[in-house]
Amino acid sequence: MKKIFPIVSAIAMTVFTHTAIANDCDKGERVVKLSHVTGGTTHPKVVASNNFAARVNKELNGIMCVEVYPNSTLFGDSKELEALLLGDVQLLAPSLSKFGSYTKKLGVFDLPFIFKDMDAGMRFTNSKVGKDLLNSMDKVGFVGLGYWMSGMKYFSANKPLLVPSDAKGLKFRVQTSDVAKAMIAAMGASPQPMAFAEVYGALQTKVVDGQENTWSNIYTKKFFEVQDGVTETNHQMLAYLFMTSKEFLDSLKPDVRAKFLKIADEVTQEANNSVKAAEAENRANILKAGGKIRTLNNEQRKAWIDAMKPVWKQFEDEIGKDVIEAAAKS
Ligand code: SIN
């Protein structure tokens, strides 16, 4: 069985504390690797991953042992999905914006302003259409165990952003999503897809001018330190697919599989119940650490919505009008 303990790690150009799990699986236990790209101690994905490992390691003690690899220390964005199919890792929780090579349907989560807030996003993920999307890549061999919410997203840049025209001509780091790229282009800015692990360095060296992310990522990765400020745009929701491979799941004995799935479900519920508090805590942490947050008035917010709304139409065919309507209705 593994224990969770805090360690200090120097990664990229920043130093921060994160939790890791000691490599002390007992002989005979099946080692299961959970890899993800986020860090810090207060990040919802870090907390959920560690909770999942702690539960499995206690309740399936002697049978299965989960090792958590945070901060892209095992696999980063570009390799993790391939690694899952190859059996080099068994559990991941990638952002829903990173599946474009496998399915276009999940692009619905990236449509700007489709969810008013995280509650609307959760209503959608709990709906029939949302639940069906969990299995949108079963032909590839991916199994969705649950959606882990992360937070609404906000733009930051090396200059104040209050209306979309403030972003004109700037370069913004985005995830690999085509929808995100189109959204940045609709602002008259230039999208630069890049792995999460490279964002801090790219902002610091001005390879890009800005980025978009949740309070938890902006705080735990210290993006606010190398930006003029963050604007509370609430333009998208970031959520993760807690996932495994069909091959791994099929390899478990039925009773072990049932316990494993029950723990995954309970940890998912617990994570989503506490995500808003984690986001609020990390927003406050940014302010405490000297970061600047700008809010929008109604007119400024409307200007962002108007600039980005045409993106929906662009992706209607590949995402599906029915899926977009179900998400918008939630
Ligand atoms: C993550 O939260 O897993 C990463 C999000 C990003 O790449 O911006």
Side-chain angles (χ1 to χ4, degrees), residues 63-91:
I63 300 171
M64 190 184 282
C65 176
V66 176
E67 290 179 348
V68 181
Y69 295 86
N71 270 318
S72 312
T73 45
L74 185 63
F75 293 107
D77 288 326
S78 62
K79 292 271 182 304
E80 61 182 10
L81 290 168
E82 212 180 299
L84 184 65
L85 290 176
L86 290 171
D88 294 336
V89 64
Q90 290 72 38
L91 289 162

Short mmCIF file of all heavy atoms in Angstrom, two decimals, residues 63-91:
data_model
loop_
_atom_site.label_atom_id
_atom_site.label_comp_id
_atom_site.label_asym_id
_atom_site.label_seq_id
_atom_site.Cartn_x
_atom_site.Cartn_y
_atom_site.Cartn_z
N ILE A 63 -4.18 -6.10 -3.62
CA ILE A 63 -4.58 -6.47 -4.99
C ILE A 63 -4.07 -5.44 -6.00
O ILE A 63 -3.49 -5.78 -7.03
CB ILE A 63 -6.13 -6.54 -5.10
CG1 ILE A 63 -6.67 -7.59 -4.12
CG2 ILE A 63 -6.57 -6.86 -6.54
CD1 ILE A 63 -8.18 -7.57 -3.99
N MET A 64 -4.31 -4.15 -5.67
CA MET A 64 -3.99 -3.10 -6.63
C MET A 64 -3.36 -1.93 -5.89
O MET A 64 -3.70 -1.67 -4.73
CB MET A 64 -5.29 -2.65 -7.29
CG MET A 64 -5.08 -1.73 -8.46
SD MET A 64 -6.65 -1.14 -9.10
CE MET A 64 -7.22 -2.53 -10.05
N CYS A 65 -2.45 -1.24 -6.56
CA CYS A 65 -1.74 -0.13 -5.92
C CYS A 65 -1.57 0.99 -6.95
O CYS A 65 -0.93 0.80 -7.98
CB CYS A 65 -0.40 -0.68 -5.44
SG CYS A 65 0.65 0.55 -4.73
N VAL A 66 -2.19 2.15 -6.68
CA VAL A 66 -2.14 3.27 -7.64
C VAL A 66 -0.97 4.19 -7.31
O VAL A 66 -0.80 4.63 -6.18
CB VAL A 66 -3.47 4.07 -7.62
CG1 VAL A 66 -3.39 5.29 -8.54
CG2 VAL A 66 -4.64 3.18 -8.03
N GLU A 67 -0.17 4.47 -8.32
CA GLU A 67 0.91 5.46 -8.21
C GLU A 67 0.48 6.70 -8.96
O GLU A 67 0.07 6.60 -10.12
CB GLU A 67 2.18 4.95 -8.88
CG GLU A 67 2.86 3.82 -8.18
CD GLU A 67 4.11 3.35 -8.94
OE1 GLU A 67 4.31 3.74 -10.10
OE2 GLU A 67 4.86 2.57 -8.36
N VAL A 68 0.58 7.89 -8.33
CA VAL A 68 0.18 9.13 -9.01
C VAL A 68 1.42 9.88 -9.47
O VAL A 68 2.35 10.10 -8.69
CB VAL A 68 -0.66 10.04 -8.09
CG1 VAL A 68 -1.08 11.31 -8.82
CG2 VAL A 68 -1.90 9.30 -7.58
N TYR A 69 1.43 10.26 -10.74
CA TYR A 69 2.53 11.06 -11.31
C TYR A 69 1.98 12.41 -11.76
O TYR A 69 1.36 12.50 -12.83
CB TYR A 69 3.15 10.33 -12.51
CG TYR A 69 3.83 9.04 -12.14
CD1 TYR A 69 3.10 7.85 -12.04
CD2 TYR A 69 5.19 9.00 -11.86
CE1 TYR A 69 3.72 6.66 -11.67
CE2 TYR A 69 5.82 7.82 -11.50
CZ TYR A 69 5.08 6.65 -11.40
OH TYR A 69 5.69 5.48 -11.04
N PRO A 70 2.13 13.47 -10.93
CA PRO A 70 1.59 14.78 -11.31
C PRO A 70 2.58 15.56 -12.19
O PRO A 70 3.66 15.05 -12.51
CB PRO A 70 1.44 15.47 -9.95
CG PRO A 70 2.53 14.89 -9.11
CD PRO A 70 2.79 13.49 -9.62
N ASN A 71 2.18 16.78 -12.59
CA ASN A 71 3.13 17.73 -13.20
C ASN A 71 3.82 17.24 -14.47
O ASN A 71 4.99 17.60 -14.69
CB ASN A 71 4.22 18.07 -12.17
CG ASN A 71 3.83 19.25 -11.34
OD1 ASN A 71 3.30 20.24 -11.88
ND2 ASN A 71 4.04 19.17 -10.04
N SER A 72 3.19 16.41 -15.26
CA SER A 72 3.78 15.88 -16.51
C SER A 72 5.08 15.12 -16.24
O SER A 72 5.95 15.04 -17.11
CB SER A 72 4.07 17.01 -17.52
OG SER A 72 2.99 17.87 -17.68
N THR A 73 5.25 14.57 -15.02
CA THR A 73 6.51 13.90 -14.71
C THR A 73 6.60 12.51 -15.35
O THR A 73 7.69 11.99 -15.55
CB THR A 73 6.70 13.75 -13.17
OG1 THR A 73 5.47 13.29 -12.61
CG2 THR A 73 7.11 15.04 -12.53
N LEU A 74 5.46 11.92 -15.70
CA LEU A 74 5.52 10.62 -16.40
C LEU A 74 5.24 10.85 -17.89
O LEU A 74 6.05 10.52 -18.75
CB LEU A 74 4.50 9.64 -15.80
CG LEU A 74 4.55 8.23 -16.36
CD1 LEU A 74 5.89 7.55 -16.07
CD2 LEU A 74 3.42 7.36 -15.78
N PHE A 75 4.09 11.45 -18.18
CA PHE A 75 3.74 11.81 -19.57
C PHE A 75 3.15 13.21 -19.59
O PHE A 75 2.35 13.56 -18.72
CB PHE A 75 2.72 10.83 -20.16
CG PHE A 75 3.26 9.44 -20.33
CD1 PHE A 75 2.84 8.43 -19.48
CD2 PHE A 75 4.18 9.16 -21.31
CE1 PHE A 75 3.35 7.14 -19.62
CE2 PHE A 75 4.70 7.88 -21.46
CZ PHE A 75 4.29 6.86 -20.61
N GLY A 76 3.50 13.99 -20.60
CA GLY A 76 2.89 15.31 -20.80
C GLY A 76 1.73 15.19 -21.76
O GLY A 76 1.34 14.09 -22.18
N ASP A 77 1.19 16.36 -22.14
CA ASP A 77 0.02 16.39 -23.02
C ASP A 77 0.18 15.59 -24.31
O ASP A 77 -0.74 14.92 -24.75
CB ASP A 77 -0.27 17.84 -23.43
CG ASP A 77 -0.82 18.66 -22.29
OD1 ASP A 77 -1.55 18.09 -21.48
OD2 ASP A 77 -0.53 19.86 -22.25
N SER A 78 1.35 15.69 -24.93
CA SER A 78 1.46 15.15 -26.29
C SER A 78 1.54 13.63 -26.33
O SER A 78 1.27 13.02 -27.35
CB SER A 78 2.66 15.77 -26.99
OG SER A 78 3.82 15.41 -26.29
N LYS A 79 1.92 13.01 -25.21
CA LYS A 79 2.17 11.56 -25.26
C LYS A 79 1.18 10.73 -24.46
O LYS A 79 1.10 9.52 -24.63
CB LYS A 79 3.57 11.27 -24.69
CG LYS A 79 4.74 11.76 -25.52
CD LYS A 79 5.13 10.68 -26.53
CE LYS A 79 6.31 11.02 -27.39
NZ LYS A 79 6.25 12.24 -28.16
N GLU A 80 0.42 11.36 -23.55
CA GLU A 80 -0.30 10.55 -22.56
C GLU A 80 -1.39 9.65 -23.15
O GLU A 80 -1.56 8.52 -22.71
CB GLU A 80 -0.82 11.40 -21.39
CG GLU A 80 -1.79 12.47 -21.77
CD GLU A 80 -2.25 13.31 -20.57
OE1 GLU A 80 -1.67 13.19 -19.48
OE2 GLU A 80 -3.21 14.07 -20.74
N LEU A 81 -2.11 10.16 -24.16
CA LEU A 81 -3.20 9.34 -24.71
C LEU A 81 -2.66 8.13 -25.46
O LEU A 81 -3.19 7.01 -25.35
CB LEU A 81 -4.09 10.21 -25.61
CG LEU A 81 -4.91 11.26 -24.85
CD1 LEU A 81 -5.54 12.26 -25.78
CD2 LEU A 81 -5.97 10.58 -23.99
N GLU A 82 -1.57 8.36 -26.17
CA GLU A 82 -0.92 7.26 -26.88
C GLU A 82 -0.39 6.23 -25.86
O GLU A 82 -0.52 5.01 -26.05
CB GLU A 82 0.25 7.88 -27.62
CG GLU A 82 0.64 7.26 -28.93
CD GLU A 82 1.83 8.05 -29.46
OE1 GLU A 82 1.68 9.27 -29.70
OE2 GLU A 82 2.90 7.42 -29.59
N ALA A 83 0.18 6.75 -24.77
CA ALA A 83 0.74 5.87 -23.73
C ALA A 83 -0.35 5.00 -23.10
O ALA A 83 -0.11 3.85 -22.74
CB ALA A 83 1.44 6.71 -22.66
N LEU A 84 -1.55 5.56 -22.98
CA LEU A 84 -2.67 4.79 -22.41
C LEU A 84 -3.01 3.62 -23.33
O LEU A 84 -3.22 2.49 -22.88
CB LEU A 84 -3.88 5.71 -22.22
CG LEU A 84 -5.10 5.09 -21.54
CD1 LEU A 84 -4.80 4.71 -20.09
CD2 LEU A 84 -6.28 6.07 -21.56
N LEU A 85 -3.05 3.90 -24.62
CA LEU A 85 -3.37 2.82 -25.58
C LEU A 85 -2.27 1.77 -25.62
O LEU A 85 -2.52 0.60 -25.86
CB LEU A 85 -3.60 3.41 -26.97
CG LEU A 85 -4.88 4.24 -27.14
CD1 LEU A 85 -4.97 4.84 -28.54
CD2 LEU A 85 -6.13 3.39 -26.85
N LEU A 86 -1.03 2.20 -25.35
CA LEU A 86 0.09 1.25 -25.37
C LEU A 86 0.21 0.48 -24.06
O LEU A 86 1.02 -0.43 -23.93
CB LEU A 86 1.41 2.00 -25.62
CG LEU A 86 1.59 2.57 -27.03
CD1 LEU A 86 2.82 3.47 -27.08
CD2 LEU A 86 1.70 1.45 -28.06
N GLY A 87 -0.57 0.89 -23.04
CA GLY A 87 -0.51 0.20 -21.75
C GLY A 87 0.63 0.68 -20.87
O GLY A 87 0.95 0.05 -19.86
N ASP A 88 1.26 1.82 -21.22
CA ASP A 88 2.36 2.34 -20.40
C ASP A 88 1.86 3.13 -19.20
O ASP A 88 2.63 3.49 -18.31
CB ASP A 88 3.26 3.25 -21.26
CG ASP A 88 3.97 2.44 -22.33
OD1 ASP A 88 4.14 1.22 -22.13
OD2 ASP A 88 4.34 3.00 -23.37
N VAL A 89 0.58 3.47 -19.20
CA VAL A 89 -0.08 4.13 -18.09
C VAL A 89 -1.52 3.62 -18.12
O VAL A 89 -2.01 3.21 -19.18
CB VAL A 89 0.02 5.67 -18.26
CG1 VAL A 89 -0.69 6.18 -19.49
CG2 VAL A 89 -0.47 6.41 -17.03
N GLN A 90 -2.19 3.60 -16.95
CA GLN A 90 -3.54 3.01 -16.93
C GLN A 90 -4.63 4.03 -16.65
O GLN A 90 -5.80 3.76 -16.93
CB GLN A 90 -3.60 1.90 -15.86
CG GLN A 90 -2.80 0.66 -16.21
CD GLN A 90 -1.30 0.87 -16.11
OE1 GLN A 90 -0.81 1.56 -15.21
NE2 GLN A 90 -0.56 0.28 -17.03
N LEU A 91 -4.27 5.18 -16.09
CA LEU A 91 -5.29 6.18 -15.74
C LEU A 91 -4.80 7.58 -16.09
O LEU A 91 -3.62 7.92 -15.83
CB LEU A 91 -5.58 6.14 -14.23
CG LEU A 91 -6.34 4.93 -13.72
CD1 LEU A 91 -6.17 4.81 -12.21
CD2 LEU A 91 -7.82 5.03 -14.07
#
